[in-house]
Each structure stands twice: as C-alpha cells, then as structure tokens.
Amino acid sequence: MKLITFYGSRGLRIVKGENQYVWDDKGRRYLDLHAGHGVAFLGHRNPKVVEYLKRQLDTIITLTTAFDIDIRDEMLKEIDDLKPEGMDNIFLLNSGTEAVELAMKIARKITGRKKFIAFKNSFHGRTMGSLSITWNKKYREPFEPLISPIEFLEFNQIEELKKLDDSVAAVILEPVQGEGGVIPAKPEFVKALREETERRGILLVSDEVQAGFGRTGKVWAYQHYGIRPDILTAGKAIGGGFPVSAVFVPDSIAEKLGEGDHGTTYGGNPMAAAAVTAASRVLKEDKVPEQAKVKGETFMKMLRDALVDFKSVREVRGLGLMIGVDLRLNPGTAIKVLQDNGVLSLKAGVSTIRFLSPYMITNQDMELAVDATRKGVAETEGKKTS
C-alpha cells in the first residue's frame, strides 16, 4: 500500500518532537520553525495539552455536539476571555479550510448575497469553497469551475475598495497573508476596508487560521488594527497540535442560523474540546502573545542586521512570530541549507523563506536560525552567479 502525498519529501524521518525541537531517526535535533505549517505554535507535545488529551482518552473520545459533555463546557469557559470582541458564539470544526467554508455559508445566508471578495496572494484553503477564494492559479485552475462570483482585489491598495458594491456578501481578509509571502496588512488599508464594508452591509471575515491565537503578538491579529470583523476563523495553534478549527460569530449572526445549516461528524468532539481547553490555558498562563511580540521583534531585528549586506534579500517582514525573509531569488536552496544546518523552515509565495516559530524559541535558537539563514542566502547568491 502506498500513501498519497501532495507535498514533496523533505528527506527526513522524524521520530520525536518536544517544545521547539524535533529529532530525526539518526538522533539529530532540528529547530522546528516549520512547526507543521504553524500548528505547533505552543510547542510539540505541550505538557498541558498532553495532560488534557490523556485525561479525555480515559473517559470518552467520540461524541457529537447533539449531546452535552463536561469538557466542552470547560472549554467554553476557558476560551471565553480569549474570544474575539463581541463574538460570544463558537462552532468547532476540524481544519482551517472547513472553518472558511462555514464562514462563506454564513455570509451568504445572512446577507442574501452571492459574491465574495478576496485578495491577490490570498490563501484560504483547498476545498472547493475556500479554494475559490484562494489566489494561486496553480491551486485553482485544475478544479474549475469553482464557486462564483469571486473577485480578487489588490492587497493593501485602498483605491481597490471602490470596486465593492451591494452584490458582495463578504470580504475575506488575512490580517497577515501567510502562504502569499508573510505580508501584513497596512493599518490604513484595514481601516478603510472596515469602513467600506460597514457602509455597504458587507460582512468582513478575518481569516486567522495561521495568524490567530497569539502568533502575531496579540490573541487575534485583527486587534493590531483597531477594528472588529463580523466573523473570525481560527485553526492551527488553537488546538495545541490537535486537529481543530473554529468559527466565531456575534449573537446577531448566530441567532439567524438554524438546525441543518451546517454539520460535522467530528467537529467539537471531546478530544478537540480538551485540546482547545488546554491550549487556551497555556496561552493565558504563559502570556504567549506577549512573548510572541517581544521575541518576534528580536528575531526580525537579528535577521535584518545579519542580512543587510545581501543583495538578494528584498525584505525581512512579519508580525510577532510570523516572519518572512523575502528574496529576489527562489528560496528553495536557502531552505535546504537551513535544514542541513539544523533549522526547519518553509516557503511562502514565490520568493519568501517563512519562519513559524513555537513561542518558546530562545535567543540561542534565533542565533542558530540567523546563522543558518545567512549560509542559505549566501549559497543561493553563489549559485545564481556561478
């Protein structure tokens, strides 16, 4: 039997993970700034998450939300003071793309409109709805026709917002575009977008599957911009490594949703509820957003200082511990050199090295990553000129 894989092999067999590190079958340790596309933001095998999952395994692991259970009530209580402002309702699913699908369904039902607006370089998922609002044609074109009508606008360009009209159900925004190149939204752009969507009765969806839950230095990335979205999608870090995602909405939306509008076999299962409960406790007890802010600023400064003399480095950018090193060359060689030097990273967009660090990264770890990045960029430039 062969496993179907849609990712190229990195040539490593990983046998163990703990905190910000993983080990291969040869006993070599790697600083994991790939972190499962950012899932392991709270670290591999976070002790609190493991404790809650083990405890839940001893009671019940399968139960739909049609039945009440204590761990789900505990989760609701634990996450209450972390919820997006004004959003008192949560629905749990299993993956980021599912959360985006539900957000799209909600937008159409609430507004009665059909059209969605997304942005160039956006990434929202790979199922048919979320794929429809994902920019990269390589992902979309083999599966067309997809959901329509969809329009992609230029990201961070206020003039583009004139294209919004009363046919639009929702605008889907990544406060920091992850897959697109680790590109933070500009404050003036987000402010103008919120004003225009409110004026036209368009729902604003903040897709924080990658950027949310403490990674950018605040619990939710939209909080950097002084606005409130209408719907927020979360995933990856929210389960501390366990597969779970969430959609948050205010009462004004939740009260218009009814039985049968959506459903999920595994969404909100006891194990997921236990994971979210534990992750929420860790986020608060360890002051994770505050750590991400300080460490992210330190890491980016170290990278900028170390890479300032390289002509191929266009920019070091990001927010909190969501960091990109944008090159004028393909980053593939640099990412391989990083791995050869004990640092795992991943690509974003067409030219960016992406670092999605666990929050417990240390200054010593950063020094390792910076040194490996210098070597990677140097080899990339050398190959270009040879």
Side-chain angles (χ1 to χ4, degrees):
M1 178 63 69
K2 299 176 184 177
L3 180 69
I4 297 174
T5 60
F6 295 106
Y7 296 105
S9 172
R10 296 290 289 261
L12 294 180
R13 180 173 292 274
I14 301 299
V15 298
K16 178 186 174 184
E18 186 171 352
N19 296 327
Q20 66 270 45
Y21 307 114
V22 295
W23 286 260
D24 67 15
D25 57 349
K26 298 177 177 62
R28 185 178 185 187
R29 191 184 78 173
Y30 296 82
L31 174 62
D32 188 9
L33 307 187
H34 183 297
H37 296 97
V39 170
F41 176 53
L42 300 182
H44 291 282
R45 295 172 54 245
N46 185 287
K48 183 66 68 177
V49 176
V50 172
E51 172 195 342
Y52 269 69
L53 289 174
K54 284 182 175 179
R55 184 191 306 170
Q56 193 57 47
L57 279 168
D58 287 335
T59 56
I60 186 169
I61 64 174
T62 301
L63 192 73
T64 78
T65 52
F67 300 92
D68 298 331
I69 190 171
D70 289 345
I71 188 59
R72 204 178 293 122
D73 293 339
E74 185 179 351
M75 179 205 73
L76 293 172
K77 182 178 179 180
E78 200 66 58
I79 203 170
D80 186 65
D81 50 358
L82 296 175
K83 68 192 176 190
E85 288 88 340
M87 298 190 187
D88 291 326
N89 305 273
I90 184 174
F91 188 83
L92 295 186
L93 298 118
N94 311 289
S95 62
T97 192
E98 291 176 71
V100 173
E101 295 276 344
L102 177 55
M104 294 175 73
K105 289 176 68 176
I106 290 172
R108 281 192 168 175
K109 176 164 187 179
I110 296 300
T111 65
R113 304 172 183 179
K114 305 300 181 187
K115 186 175 181 179
F116 294 102
I117 298 290
F119 295 99
K120 294 179 181 179
N121 293 315
S122 64
F123 182 88
H124 298 286
R126 298 180 190 267
T127 48
M128 298 299 270
S130 58
L131 184 61
S132 302
I133 53 174
T134 289
W135 166 248
N136 194 325
K137 293 180 181 180
K138 179 181 73 173
Y139 299 149
R140 283 190 288 115
E141 287 184 343
F143 308 103
E144 292 176 341
L146 299 169
I147 289 176
S148 63
I150 308 286
E151 185 174 1
F152 292 97
L153 305 184
E154 293 286 347
F155 189 59
N156 277 333
Q157 299 296 319
I158 292 176
E159 284 295 308
E160 288 281 276
L161 303 181
K162 293 179 180 178
K163 297 177 181 178
L164 299 183
D165 59 37
D166 296 343
S167 70
V168 178
V171 175
I172 294 88
L173 170 75
E174 293 169 277
V176 183
Q177 289 189 332
E179 175 75 14
V182 194
I183 306 169
K186 295 178 179 178
E188 60 272 21
F189 174 73
V190 177
K191 182 175 183 292
L193 174 61
R194 178 70 284 194
E195 289 174 353
E196 188 64 15
T197 52
E198 286 183 335
R199 187 173 75 85
R200 293 191 172 274
I202 299 168
L203 296 182
L204 178 60
V205 180
S206 188
D207 181 351
E208 306 205 13
V209 169
Q210 185 171 137
F213 211 66
R215 177 168 288 284
T216 65
K218 292 186 180 290
V219 178
W220 306 111
Y222 80 84
Q223 293 169 329
H224 290 280
Y225 300 97
I227 60 103
R228 289 188 183 184
D230 299 296
I231 301 172
L232 184 140
T233 61
K236 296 191 186 296
I238 197 172
F242 191 87
V244 58
S245 63
V247 177
F248 293 89
V249 296
D251 288 342
S252 59
I253 289 178
E255 65 192 14
K256 296 174 183 175
L257 303 176
E259 186 172 338
D261 280 343
H262 200 62
T264 167
T265 298
Y266 295 109
N269 71 77
M271 298 298 290
V276 174
T277 303
S280 298
R281 290 194 62 180
V282 171
L283 203 78
K284 291 180 284 187
E285 291 172 0
D286 286 5
K287 295 182 170 54
V288 171
E290 293 88 341
Q291 290 200 50
K293 179 180 185 298
V294 173
K295 292 179 179 181
E297 290 170 352
T298 299
F299 197 2
M300 278 191 277
K301 184 180 187 305
M302 291 170 66
L303 285 164
R304 287 170 181 145
D305 290 347
L307 302 174
V308 66
D309 295 329
F310 287 97
K311 294 180 180 179
S312 66
V313 177
R314 183 182 287 113
E315 184 182 15
V316 177
R317 60 181 176 237
L319 203 56
L321 285 172
M322 190 171 179
I323 298 172
V325 178
D326 191 26
L327 306 180
R328 293 183 171 88
L329 303 169
N330 188 304
T333 295
I335 290 170
K336 183 181 185 304
V337 172
L338 275 155
Q339 179 172 307
D340 291 343
N341 283 270
V343 180
L344 304 183
S345 61
L346 65 162
K347 184 180 178 181
V350 297
S351 59
T352 303
I353 305 166
R354 182 171 23 164
F355 296 126
L356 297 174
S357 170
Y359 80 94
M360 61 278 294
I361 188 173
T362 66
N363 278 25
Q364 186 176 2
D365 293 329
M366 294 178 203
E367 290 170 2
L368 170 65
V370 169
D371 182 62
T373 304
R374 277 186 59 87
K375 292 176 181 176
V377 173
E379 186 162 330
T380 300
E381 287 190 356
K383 282 194 172 183
K384 182 66 177 179
T385 56
S386 61

